[in-house]
């Protein structure tokens, strides 16, 4: 596409990056077909090609008001458009750059600014967030339902005991910001699975939020600080030979894998950031790499045959381009996957989107739940805490959907299978 | 360049009055009049031609469409319908004194009838979505433009779109039974019928390819086709594009009608391979994709016949798809070819000439010479089976003069197409892009007939004015310049 960036940005690193991205877009419109918001709204301005055009205008010095911001706000950053784009347009980077400029030009006021501030400051801090959820839960019955719906349930099962064995092979794991409070069993399950594979999982306490939360709320400087803090916290372990940095939330994984890119202009951190990004693996990649060790452990397990619907988070399938891996592991563990239509579409969770864009988010969630439950699964599995709590909130109380056991992280299901009592014959099914 | 519509008369539309009038029909969230919102609507898939509309309307119901048309008709406001804006000839490029009418919100599949093998759909339904909805009945919608993931049925009818499987299954016109819509004056019209033939003139054929100039389409009844039991595709590689071109003619001359017969040259395979990872041979100068479908026995027999011909025509190696996933991957590469070229060039012009198959090799050689003459690269992707060329002329819009050179390059290809006994468009329509070349293709008398047909539907000339059919003045000028050059 023809471009003519304005002087204020033309010669900056962001300007050059944005220009290169804009010029790869040939305006073919393929991406609109798989964009969740274009599917719902049918408006060029609410699809990737239109948003690219809106950002182009902003960077070319055109008028920018709440009108442009509205359509950029509605973007889920799900990156489905990137998967579809034959020309390789790096949409999410362009969006990051565009949003920052728009944010500077069109400041937010009142309640909106306050909500965003609260999200930016509370969510990344477990010591603030966990008590907040606890308070919210106590008050929930007394809150108006619109507000009560926003308070996530502690979605997960209680955490199983962590293994205590000290092992030669070690991986670092990110605890995450909201996950320990909401679903503490996820990382416990990961540690137990790895332990069976002869790997010790360590969580470094000094590491915190991966930075994605603030980055996508346009607090990009604060986010870079989150990232530097994590690098400092992890570095001694990296030097001591940790094999990988494990992510059990695909949202965090997608972001940490970009540390190298995001800090490339920071002379102090660029090299370390690139190394951290290189070492980062989603749980699916890490476990799949140990498949040879895993399969014998599963061989004598009862063929569970439990029907599972897998929701692949956008940050897994589009962000990290990991497709079919979790599915293969679940099948290897004896689960039966039910078909899920439109599996490329976002569930509407998208970080803080469910709070900032409740109407669209709820529509997407309801569509996603219909697709997930169409094959009558016994349980829904996913790979990201945000999707997990969001989908869980749409399932309603167990009594309203007694046939579905809830939404779980796939690693918990795998761990359940590993610890299920052994049987000699596949016939003796244990539920 | 060419941003405005020189073949359109002038209209004295007042934006404020237009917005006020439409504001009584649509809520503010579905009506745009600010520059910021209008800009992303300024062009379709042909970004070289852009024009800002005065307003954009996004109706959701037929009643809204009708009211909008009545208002615009009463106030002499030109209207340009728009589907997914994947068009490659500027058909949905807005009118600077008019309204852009998006039909993208009309995306309901109203009915799939597996017994009659039809689907009743709204115009904004995506081509691929029709096939997806028909899949549970083992049926599909046969015309498959490469843009099928995104383009709409309304756009397909308006452009009479073709696709890689149209050699055997026909273009849009062969697969549409009935079209319903509104004239510019807001009068409902139904053309065609659910039956195979209807009394009276066959106006349905006229609707296909009407480029948004006759009616605004609000409902389409399409034919569905049973899925073949088996389909396999042969990849045949060649060490020269001319050999590949001749092989196409040989396949057809041997009495074979492949389900699809497509060609990509080296530049094209290099662009798409990183995206699809289909495993194309990147050393070969050209690849032909030749498909057979039917019962397992038919397919086996036909593939053997195809192999024999292709080997005799000098294919350096052949590869048959091993399974359905591989077959789809081989086609995915072909279907993504245009945008994938975006990986190797910032901009391209996609031409659409059609020539008799026997002249394919001659045309390819001429294009190679033109690359040198204009100093621009060209990737070649063809619906080879029906002689429909899609040379992709690569240029950089940021470099002064390159677009002009690319346009001249394209014009030369189109004129050669006509000289070789072909036509300036196979399936992408004329739009604004090829309007001058219409003067080369048709006589003044023929063009007068087109204007007459248009006037029968739209006497005031308000629906997509200035597109597809040139004014006599433009053609006189064109002939004068040509005459001087000759
Ligand atoms: C990468 C790529 C590959 C392509 N491959 C092919 C191919 O293989 N074969 C092919 O034939 N084309 C192809 N095309 C061209 C294009 O996709 C087709 O012309 C398609 O039919 C356009 O559909 P659309 O919905 O995008 O229509 P638009 O571009 O929005 O509009 C096209 C024309 O139809 C009119 N129109 C749209 N909707 C209506 C309606 N409801 N009522 C009245 N008029 C309407 C518009 O005014 C305009 O004149 C390709 C395009 C791209 C970008
Ligand atoms: S698919 Fe890619 S090249 Fe095509 S419009 Fe979308 S971003 Fe641009
Ligand atoms: S990131 Fe998702 S929501 Fe945003 S434009 Fe791309 S596909 Fe649409």
């Amino acid at each position: 596409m023809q471009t003519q960036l304005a002087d204020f940005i033309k010669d900056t690193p962001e300007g050059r990056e944005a220009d290169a991205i804009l010029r790869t877009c040939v305006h073919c419109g393929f991406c609109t077909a798989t964009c969740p918001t274009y599917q719902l709204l049918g408006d060029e301005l609410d699809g990737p090609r239109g948003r690219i055009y809106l950002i182009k205008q902003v960077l070319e010095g055109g008028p920018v008001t709440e009108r442009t911001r509205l359509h950029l706000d509605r973007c889920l950053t799900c990156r489905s458009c990137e998967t579809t784009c034959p020309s390789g347009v790096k949409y999410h980077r362009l969006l990051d750059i565009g949003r920052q400029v728009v944010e500077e030009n069109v400041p937010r006021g009142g309640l909106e600014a306050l909500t965003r501030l609260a999200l930016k400051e509370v969510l990344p801090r477990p010591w603030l967030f966990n008590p907040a959820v606890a308070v919210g839960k106590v008050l929930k019955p007394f809150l108006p339902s619109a507000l009560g719906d926003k308070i996530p349930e502690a979605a997960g099962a209680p955490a199983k005991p962590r293994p205590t064995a000290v092992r030669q092979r070690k991986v670092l794991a990110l605890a995450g910001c909201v996950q320990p409070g909401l679903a503490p069993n996820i990382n416990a399950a990961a540690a137990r699975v790895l332990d069976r594979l002869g790997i010790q999982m360590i969580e470094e306490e000094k590491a915190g939020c991966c930075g994605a939360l603030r980055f996508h709320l346009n607090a990009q400087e604060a986010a870079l600080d989150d990232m530097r803090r994590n690098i400092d916290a992890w570095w001694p372990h990296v030097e001591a030979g940790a094999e990988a940095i494990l992510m059990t939330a695909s949202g965090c994984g997608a972001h940490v894998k970009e540390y190298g890119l995001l800090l490339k202009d920071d002379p102090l951190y660029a090299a370390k950031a690139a190394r951290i990004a290189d070492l980062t693996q989603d749980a699916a990649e890490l476990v799949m790499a140990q498949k040879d060790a895993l399969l014998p452990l599963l061989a004598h397990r009862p063929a569970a045959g439990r029907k599972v619907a897998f929701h692949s988070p956008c940050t897994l399938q589009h962000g990290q381009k990991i497709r079919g891996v979790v599915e293969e592991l679940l099948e290897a563990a004896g689960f039966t996957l039910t078909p899920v239509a439109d599996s490329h579409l976002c569930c509407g969770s998208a970080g803080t989107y469910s709070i900032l864009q409740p109407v669209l988010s709820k529509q997407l969630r309801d569509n996603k739940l219909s697709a997930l439950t169409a094959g009558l699964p016994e349980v829904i599995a996913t790979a990201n805490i945000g999707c997990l709590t969001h989908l869980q909130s749409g399932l309603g109380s167990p009594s309203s959907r007694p046939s579905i056991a809830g939404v779980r992280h796939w690693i918990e299901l795998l761990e359940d299978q590993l610890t299920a009592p052994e049987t000699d014959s596949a016939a003796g099914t244990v539920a | 360049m060419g941003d405005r519509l020189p073949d359109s008369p002038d209209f004295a539309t007042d934006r404020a009055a237009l917005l006020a009038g439409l504001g009584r029909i649509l809520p503010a969230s579905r009506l745009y009049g600010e520059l910021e919102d209008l800009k992303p609507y300024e062009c379709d898939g042909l970004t070289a031609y852009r024009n800002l509309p005065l307003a954009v309307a996004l109706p959701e119901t037929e009643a809204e469409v009708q009211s909008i048309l009545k208002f615009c008709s009463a106030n002499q406001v030109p209207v340009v319908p728009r589907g997914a804006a994947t068009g490659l000839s500027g058909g949905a490029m807005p009118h600077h004194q008019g309204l852009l009418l998006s039909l993208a919100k009309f995306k309901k599949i109203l009915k799939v009838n597996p017994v009659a093998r039809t689907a009743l759909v709204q115009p904004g339904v995506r081509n691929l979505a029709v096939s997806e909805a028909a899949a549970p009945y083992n049926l599909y919608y046969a015309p498959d433009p490469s843009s099928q993931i995104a383009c709409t049925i309304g756009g397909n009818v308006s452009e009479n779109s073709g696709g890689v499987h149209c050699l055997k299954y026909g273009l849009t016109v062969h697969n549409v039974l009935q079209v319903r819509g509104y004239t510019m004056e807001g009068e409902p019209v139904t053309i065609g019928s659910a039956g195979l033939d209807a009394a009276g003139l066959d106006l349905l054929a006229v609707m296909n390819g009407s480029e948004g100039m006759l009616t605004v389409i609000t409902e389409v009844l399409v034919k569905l086709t049973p899925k073949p039991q088996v389909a396999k595709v042969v990849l045949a590689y060649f060490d020269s594009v001319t050999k590949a071109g001749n092989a196409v003619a040989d396949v057809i001359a041997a009495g074979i009608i492949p389900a699809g017969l497509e060609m990509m040259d080296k530049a094209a395979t290099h662009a798409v391979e990183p995206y699809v990872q289909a495993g194309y041979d990147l050393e070969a100068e050209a690849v032909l994709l030749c498909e057979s479908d039917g019962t397992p026995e038919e397919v086996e027999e036909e593939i053997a016949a195809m192999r024999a011909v292709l080997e005799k025509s000098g294919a350096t190696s052949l590869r048959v798809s091993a399974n359905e996933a591989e077959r789809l991957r081989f086609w995915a590469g072909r279907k993504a070819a245009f945008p994938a070229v975006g990986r190797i060039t910032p901009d391209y012009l996609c031409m659409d000439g059609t020539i008799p198959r026997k002249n394919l090799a001659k045309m390819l050689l001429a294009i190679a010479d033109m690359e040198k003459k204009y100093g621009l690269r060209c990737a070649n992707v063809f619906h080879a089976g029906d002689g429909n060329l899609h040379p992709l002329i690569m240029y950089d819009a940021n470099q002064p003069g390159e677009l002009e050179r690319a346009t001249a390059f394209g014009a030369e290809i189109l004129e050669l197409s006509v000289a070789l006994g072909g036509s300036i468009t196979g399936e992408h329509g004329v739009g604004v892009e090829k309007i001058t070349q219409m003067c080369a293709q048709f006589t003044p008398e023929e063009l007068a007939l087109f204007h007459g047909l248009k006037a029968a539907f739209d006497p005031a000339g308000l629906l997509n004015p200035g597109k597809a059919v040139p004014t006599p003045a433009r053609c006189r000028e064109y002939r004068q310049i040509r005459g001087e050059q000759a």
Side-chain angles (χ1 to χ4, degrees), chain B residues 124-154:
Chain B
V125 171
R126 296 177 300 119
N127 174 298
L128 190 61
V130 181
S131 288
E132 284 168 359
Y137 309 102
N138 227 9
L139 299 168
Y140 74 112
Y141 177 60
D144 58 341
S146 302
S147 52
Q148 71 180 145
I149 184 175
C151 64
T152 68
I153 292 293

Short mmCIF file of all heavy atoms in Angstrom, two decimals, chain B residues 124-154:
data_model
loop_
_atom_site.label_atom_id
_atom_site.label_comp_id
_atom_site.label_asym_id
_atom_site.label_seq_id
_atom_site.Cartn_x
_atom_site.Cartn_y
_atom_site.Cartn_z
N GLY B 124 -24.60 -10.43 1.41
CA GLY B 124 -23.33 -10.26 2.12
C GLY B 124 -22.73 -11.56 2.62
O GLY B 124 -21.69 -11.55 3.28
N VAL B 125 -23.39 -12.67 2.32
CA VAL B 125 -22.84 -13.98 2.74
C VAL B 125 -21.57 -14.25 1.95
O VAL B 125 -21.52 -14.04 0.74
CB VAL B 125 -23.87 -15.09 2.50
CG1 VAL B 125 -23.26 -16.47 2.72
CG2 VAL B 125 -25.07 -14.89 3.40
N ARG B 126 -20.54 -14.73 2.64
CA ARG B 126 -19.28 -15.02 1.96
C ARG B 126 -19.41 -16.28 1.10
O ARG B 126 -20.12 -17.22 1.49
CB ARG B 126 -18.16 -15.23 2.99
CG ARG B 126 -17.83 -14.00 3.82
CD ARG B 126 -16.77 -14.30 4.86
NE ARG B 126 -17.19 -15.34 5.79
CZ ARG B 126 -16.57 -16.49 5.95
NH1 ARG B 126 -15.50 -16.78 5.25
NH2 ARG B 126 -17.02 -17.38 6.80
N ASN B 127 -18.75 -16.28 -0.01
CA ASN B 127 -18.80 -17.42 -0.92
C ASN B 127 -18.51 -18.74 -0.19
O ASN B 127 -19.26 -19.71 -0.31
CB ASN B 127 -17.78 -17.17 -2.06
CG ASN B 127 -17.63 -18.34 -3.00
OD1 ASN B 127 -17.23 -19.42 -2.58
ND2 ASN B 127 -17.94 -18.15 -4.27
N LEU B 128 -17.45 -18.76 0.60
CA LEU B 128 -17.06 -20.00 1.27
C LEU B 128 -18.09 -20.43 2.31
O LEU B 128 -18.30 -21.62 2.55
CB LEU B 128 -15.69 -19.83 1.94
CG LEU B 128 -15.03 -21.09 2.47
CD1 LEU B 128 -14.78 -22.09 1.34
CD2 LEU B 128 -13.71 -20.77 3.16
N ALA B 129 -18.76 -19.44 2.93
CA ALA B 129 -19.76 -19.76 3.95
C ALA B 129 -20.92 -20.55 3.36
O ALA B 129 -21.53 -21.37 4.06
CB ALA B 129 -20.26 -18.47 4.61
N VAL B 130 -21.22 -20.33 2.08
CA VAL B 130 -22.29 -21.10 1.45
C VAL B 130 -21.87 -22.57 1.38
O VAL B 130 -22.64 -23.47 1.76
CB VAL B 130 -22.60 -20.58 0.02
CG1 VAL B 130 -23.73 -21.37 -0.61
CG2 VAL B 130 -22.94 -19.10 0.06
N SER B 131 -20.66 -22.82 0.94
CA SER B 131 -20.19 -24.20 0.87
C SER B 131 -20.11 -24.84 2.24
O SER B 131 -20.43 -26.02 2.40
CB SER B 131 -18.82 -24.27 0.18
OG SER B 131 -18.96 -24.01 -1.19
N GLU B 132 -19.72 -24.06 3.24
CA GLU B 132 -19.65 -24.61 4.60
C GLU B 132 -21.03 -25.00 5.10
O GLU B 132 -21.20 -26.03 5.74
CB GLU B 132 -18.99 -23.59 5.55
CG GLU B 132 -17.48 -23.53 5.37
CD GLU B 132 -16.81 -22.34 6.07
OE1 GLU B 132 -17.53 -21.53 6.71
OE2 GLU B 132 -15.59 -22.22 5.95
N ALA B 133 -22.03 -24.16 4.78
CA ALA B 133 -23.39 -24.46 5.23
C ALA B 133 -23.95 -25.68 4.49
O ALA B 133 -24.79 -26.41 5.02
CB ALA B 133 -24.30 -23.25 5.02
N ALA B 134 -23.48 -25.90 3.27
CA ALA B 134 -24.01 -27.01 2.47
C ALA B 134 -23.27 -28.32 2.75
O ALA B 134 -23.75 -29.40 2.41
CB ALA B 134 -23.91 -26.67 0.98
N ALA B 135 -22.10 -28.21 3.39
CA ALA B 135 -21.24 -29.39 3.58
C ALA B 135 -21.92 -30.56 4.30
O ALA B 135 -21.74 -31.70 3.91
CB ALA B 135 -19.96 -28.99 4.30
N PRO B 136 -22.74 -30.29 5.33
CA PRO B 136 -23.38 -31.43 6.01
C PRO B 136 -24.25 -32.27 5.06
O PRO B 136 -24.52 -33.43 5.36
CB PRO B 136 -24.24 -30.77 7.09
CG PRO B 136 -23.65 -29.43 7.30
CD PRO B 136 -23.04 -29.03 6.00
N TYR B 137 -24.67 -31.70 3.96
CA TYR B 137 -25.50 -32.44 2.99
C TYR B 137 -24.65 -32.97 1.84
O TYR B 137 -25.18 -33.37 0.80
CB TYR B 137 -26.62 -31.54 2.45
CG TYR B 137 -27.39 -30.86 3.54
CD1 TYR B 137 -27.15 -29.52 3.84
CD2 TYR B 137 -28.33 -31.56 4.29
CE1 TYR B 137 -27.84 -28.88 4.87
CE2 TYR B 137 -29.02 -30.94 5.31
CZ TYR B 137 -28.77 -29.60 5.60
OH TYR B 137 -29.45 -28.98 6.61
N ASN B 138 -23.34 -32.89 2.00
CA ASN B 138 -22.44 -33.35 0.95
C ASN B 138 -22.59 -32.52 -0.34
O ASN B 138 -22.42 -33.04 -1.44
CB ASN B 138 -22.66 -34.83 0.67
CG ASN B 138 -21.34 -35.57 0.60
OD1 ASN B 138 -20.29 -35.00 0.92
ND2 ASN B 138 -21.39 -36.80 0.18
N LEU B 139 -22.95 -31.28 -0.17
CA LEU B 139 -23.10 -30.38 -1.31
C LEU B 139 -22.13 -29.21 -1.15
O LEU B 139 -21.63 -28.96 -0.05
CB LEU B 139 -24.53 -29.84 -1.36
CG LEU B 139 -25.66 -30.86 -1.53
CD1 LEU B 139 -27.02 -30.20 -1.25
CD2 LEU B 139 -25.64 -31.46 -2.92
N TYR B 140 -21.90 -28.48 -2.23
CA TYR B 140 -21.11 -27.25 -2.14
C TYR B 140 -21.52 -26.30 -3.24
O TYR B 140 -22.24 -26.68 -4.17
CB TYR B 140 -19.60 -27.56 -2.19
CG TYR B 140 -19.07 -27.95 -3.56
CD1 TYR B 140 -18.20 -27.12 -4.26
CD2 TYR B 140 -19.43 -29.16 -4.15
CE1 TYR B 140 -17.70 -27.48 -5.50
CE2 TYR B 140 -18.95 -29.53 -5.39
CZ TYR B 140 -18.08 -28.68 -6.07
OH TYR B 140 -17.60 -29.03 -7.30
N TYR B 141 -21.07 -25.05 -3.09
CA TYR B 141 -21.34 -24.04 -4.12
C TYR B 141 -20.11 -24.01 -5.03
O TYR B 141 -19.01 -23.70 -4.59
CB TYR B 141 -21.59 -22.68 -3.46
CG TYR B 141 -21.80 -21.56 -4.45
CD1 TYR B 141 -22.84 -21.62 -5.36
CD2 TYR B 141 -20.95 -20.47 -4.48
CE1 TYR B 141 -23.02 -20.60 -6.30
CE2 TYR B 141 -21.12 -19.45 -5.40
CZ TYR B 141 -22.16 -19.53 -6.31
OH TYR B 141 -22.33 -18.53 -7.24
N ALA B 142 -20.31 -24.36 -6.30
CA ALA B 142 -19.17 -24.67 -7.16
C ALA B 142 -18.24 -23.50 -7.51
O ALA B 142 -17.03 -23.65 -7.44
CB ALA B 142 -19.66 -25.36 -8.43
N PRO B 143 -18.74 -22.32 -7.92
CA PRO B 143 -17.78 -21.28 -8.31
C PRO B 143 -16.90 -20.86 -7.13
O PRO B 143 -17.43 -20.49 -6.08
CB PRO B 143 -18.67 -20.11 -8.76
CG PRO B 143 -20.00 -20.71 -9.03
CD PRO B 143 -20.13 -21.87 -8.09
N ASP B 144 -15.62 -20.96 -7.29
CA ASP B 144 -14.72 -20.71 -6.16
C ASP B 144 -13.63 -19.71 -6.50
O ASP B 144 -12.48 -20.08 -6.70
CB ASP B 144 -14.11 -22.03 -5.67
CG ASP B 144 -13.34 -22.75 -6.78
OD1 ASP B 144 -13.57 -22.43 -7.96
OD2 ASP B 144 -12.49 -23.60 -6.47
N PRO B 145 -13.99 -18.42 -6.54
CA PRO B 145 -12.93 -17.42 -6.75
C PRO B 145 -11.84 -17.60 -5.69
O PRO B 145 -12.13 -18.06 -4.59
CB PRO B 145 -13.65 -16.08 -6.53
CG PRO B 145 -15.09 -16.36 -6.40
CD PRO B 145 -15.29 -17.83 -6.26
N SER B 146 -10.63 -17.24 -6.04
CA SER B 146 -9.55 -17.39 -5.07
C SER B 146 -9.82 -16.59 -3.81
O SER B 146 -9.33 -16.91 -2.73
CB SER B 146 -8.24 -16.93 -5.68
OG SER B 146 -7.98 -17.68 -6.84
N SER B 147 -10.62 -15.55 -3.93
CA SER B 147 -10.97 -14.72 -2.79
C SER B 147 -12.17 -15.27 -2.04
O SER B 147 -12.78 -14.58 -1.23
CB SER B 147 -11.32 -13.31 -3.30
OG SER B 147 -12.29 -13.42 -4.34
N GLN B 148 -12.53 -16.54 -2.27
CA GLN B 148 -13.79 -17.08 -1.75
C GLN B 148 -13.92 -17.01 -0.23
O GLN B 148 -15.02 -17.00 0.29
CB GLN B 148 -14.00 -18.53 -2.21
CG GLN B 148 -13.05 -19.52 -1.55
CD GLN B 148 -13.27 -20.95 -2.03
OE1 GLN B 148 -12.33 -21.69 -2.13
NE2 GLN B 148 -14.49 -21.36 -2.32
N ILE B 149 -12.82 -16.97 0.48
CA ILE B 149 -12.90 -16.87 1.94
C ILE B 149 -13.60 -15.56 2.34
O ILE B 149 -14.29 -15.51 3.35
CB ILE B 149 -11.49 -16.96 2.57
CG1 ILE B 149 -11.55 -16.95 4.10
CG2 ILE B 149 -10.58 -15.84 2.09
CD1 ILE B 149 -10.21 -17.17 4.78
N ALA B 150 -13.44 -14.52 1.52
CA ALA B 150 -13.91 -13.19 1.93
C ALA B 150 -14.98 -12.59 1.03
O ALA B 150 -15.85 -11.85 1.51
CB ALA B 150 -12.72 -12.22 2.00
N CYS B 151 -14.97 -12.87 -0.27
CA CYS B 151 -15.87 -12.15 -1.17
C CYS B 151 -17.32 -12.59 -0.98
O CYS B 151 -17.58 -13.70 -0.55
CB CYS B 151 -15.43 -12.30 -2.62
SG CYS B 151 -15.52 -13.98 -3.25
N THR B 152 -18.25 -11.71 -1.30
CA THR B 152 -19.65 -12.00 -1.02
C THR B 152 -20.39 -12.48 -2.28
O THR B 152 -19.96 -12.23 -3.41
CB THR B 152 -20.37 -10.73 -0.51
OG1 THR B 152 -20.46 -9.78 -1.59
CG2 THR B 152 -19.64 -10.10 0.66
N ILE B 153 -21.52 -13.12 -2.05
CA ILE B 153 -22.32 -13.61 -3.17
C ILE B 153 -22.84 -12.42 -3.99
O ILE B 153 -22.87 -12.48 -5.22
CB ILE B 153 -23.50 -14.47 -2.64
CG1 ILE B 153 -22.95 -15.78 -2.04
CG2 ILE B 153 -24.48 -14.77 -3.75
CD1 ILE B 153 -22.31 -16.73 -3.02
N GLY B 154 -23.21 -11.34 -3.32
CA GLY B 154 -23.67 -10.16 -4.06
C GLY B 154 -22.59 -9.66 -5.01
O GLY B 154 -22.85 -9.33 -6.17
#
